[in-house]
Amino acid sequence: MASPAPPQLPGLLRLPVEIRLEIYRHLLKHRPLDHPFDGLAITSAAYTFDPAALHLNKQIASEAKRVFYGENTWKVVISFNFNYFRLLNGLAALRQRSFLPHMRRFHLRFDLCNKMLNEYPSFGLVEYCHQTKLNAEKTCRVLAALPALQVVEISWVDDTHGGSWEQKRWILDSLVLLRTVSFFEVRDVLVEDDGGRVRELIAGYVRGITSSPSFGAEKNVTVSAGSNPVKTQKD
C-alpha cells in the first residue's frame, strides 16, 4: 500500500520569503495606525483592512506580525483628560504582548486642548501643562520598554489661546526616556501663531534632550523638523 503523500505547504509558503514579505506589506502596512488595542474609549485600533493574515498558520502569522507591528507607525495621543488612564492601562499591557519585540515606530501627538480649560477654568494653564507632562512621562515609560523602538514622530496641537512656549515645552521632557530611539521627526504642528517657528522650537528642544548626558549611551541621534534633519553628535 502506497504511503500517503506528505501534506503540501499552503500556496503562500511556497513563494520565496522576500515575495511573501511584499505581500504582507501590501495587505498590512498603513500609516499611521492608532495604538494596537481594541475597545478603548479614547482611541482604538483603526484598520482599513482585515488583518486576517495575523491569524493564519503559525509561520505566516509570525512573518506577518513582523510587518504589521514592526513596519507600521503606531499613533498615541498624549493629552490631559479624565479618561486617559484607560489608554495608559492599554499601553502597559504591551509588556505582556508577544508582538512587543517587533514594534519600532510610534507617532506621539501632544494635544493641548482649550475645551478642557474652558470647562474647568479653575484648573489653569500651568496645572494643565503639568498634568499633560505627567501623562507624557507615563506613556514614555511604557514605550521605553520596547526593545526595538527606533523612530518617534512628534505632532503638536495647541489651541489653548495663551501661554508661552517656555510654559509648555516641559511636556516634552519625558522623551529623554526613549534611549533606544535614533530618529525623531517633528511632523504636524497646529498652533494659532507661527507654526513654522514652533516647529523649529520643538525640534531644537528635542535636540537638546537627545544631546544631554541623561539621554544615555553614546550614539548619534537625528532630529528632523520636516525637511531639515540635524544629527546630534555624541562625544
Side-chain angles (χ1 to χ4, degrees), residues 211-231:
S211 61
S212 68
S214 57
F215 193 69
E218 293 183 2
K219 62 186 294 187
N220 293 332
V221 180
T222 299
V223 179
S224 171
S227 60
N228 185 27
V230 174
K231 183 174 289 187

Side-chain angles (χ1 to χ4, degrees), residues 31 70-74 103-108 143 146 148-154 178 180-187 219 221-222 224:
R31 182 175 178 281
E71 297 189 21
N72 278 311
T73 300
W74 296 91
M103 303 187 80
R104 298 189 298 116
R105 306 176 62 94
F106 266 82
H107 182 141
L108 304 183
L143 297 184
L146 304 179
L149 183 63
Q150 296 176 0
V151 176
V152 169
E153 300 173 357
I154 299 167
L178 306 181
T180 64
V181 175
S182 59
F183 186 84
F184 289 89
E185 181 178 7
V186 182
R187 294 186 61 81
K219 62 186 294 187
V221 180
T222 299
S224 171

Side-chain angles (χ1 to χ4, degrees), residues 2-221:
S3 59
Q8 287 204 352
L9 290 172
L12 185 59
L13 290 180
R14 294 198 293 270
L15 296 173
V17 64
E18 294 83 3
I19 295 178
R20 296 202 300 271
L21 291 175
E22 286 303 316
I23 292 172
Y24 303 144
R25 289 184 182 108
H26 179 75
L27 292 174
L28 302 173
K29 191 173 179 182
H30 294 263
R31 182 175 178 281
L33 294 173
D34 289 338
H35 63 80
F37 302 101
D38 295 307
L40 296 183
I42 303 168
T43 56
S44 59
Y47 315 133
T48 57
F49 55 90
D50 179 6
L54 302 178
H55 306 287
L56 298 175
N57 77 24
K58 194 170 183 179
Q59 182 176 344
I60 292 174
S62 176
E63 293 173 349
K65 282 181 179 180
R66 287 202 298 271
V67 172
F68 183 60
Y69 292 111
E71 297 189 21
N72 278 311
T73 300
W74 296 91
K75 181 176 68 177
V76 176
V77 178
I78 297 175
S79 61
F80 174 69
N81 61 60
F82 297 116
N83 288 323
Y84 198 77
F85 72 92
R86 295 173 181 258
L87 175 58
L88 293 173
N89 289 340
L91 285 172
L94 279 173
R95 295 188 176 98
Q96 284 76 48
R97 300 299 182 102
S98 62
F99 52 73
L100 173 68
H102 303 309
M103 303 187 80
R104 298 189 298 116
R105 306 176 62 94
F106 266 82
H107 182 141
L108 304 183
R109 170 173 155 159
F110 294 86
D111 199 345
L112 307 183
C113 180
N114 190 56
K115 182 179 179 181
M116 279 286 294
L117 290 173
N118 286 338
E119 290 179 353
Y120 302 94
S122 61
F123 209 60
L125 181 62
V126 172
E127 182 61 21
Y128 178 82
C129 290
H130 174 66
Q131 294 297 327
T132 304
K133 178 185 175 181
L134 291 179
N135 284 339
E137 181 177 343
K138 293 172 185 176
T139 302
C140 287
R141 287 193 182 282
V142 173
L143 297 184
L146 304 179
L149 183 63
Q150 296 176 0
V151 176
V152 169
E153 300 173 357
I154 299 167
S155 290
W156 183 271
V157 180
D158 180 5
D159 67 350
T160 53
H161 308 302
S164 65
W165 166 248
E166 285 69 25
Q167 288 178 293
K168 301 170 183 178
R169 63 184 182 179
W170 312 110
I171 293 170
L172 298 171
D173 281 359
S174 54
L175 296 176
V176 75
L177 299 171
L178 306 181
R179 297 183 180 94
T180 64
V181 175
S182 59
F183 186 84
F184 289 89
E185 181 178 7
V186 182
R187 294 186 61 81
D188 301 325
V189 175
L190 303 177
V191 295
E192 287 188 312
D193 54 1
D194 185 352
R197 182 184 69 87
V198 175
R199 179 188 300 276
E200 289 299 332
L201 288 172
I202 293 171
Y205 197 68
V206 175
R207 288 175 195 132
I209 289 172
T210 58
S211 61
S212 68
S214 57
F215 193 69
E218 293 183 2
K219 62 186 294 187
N220 293 332
V221 180

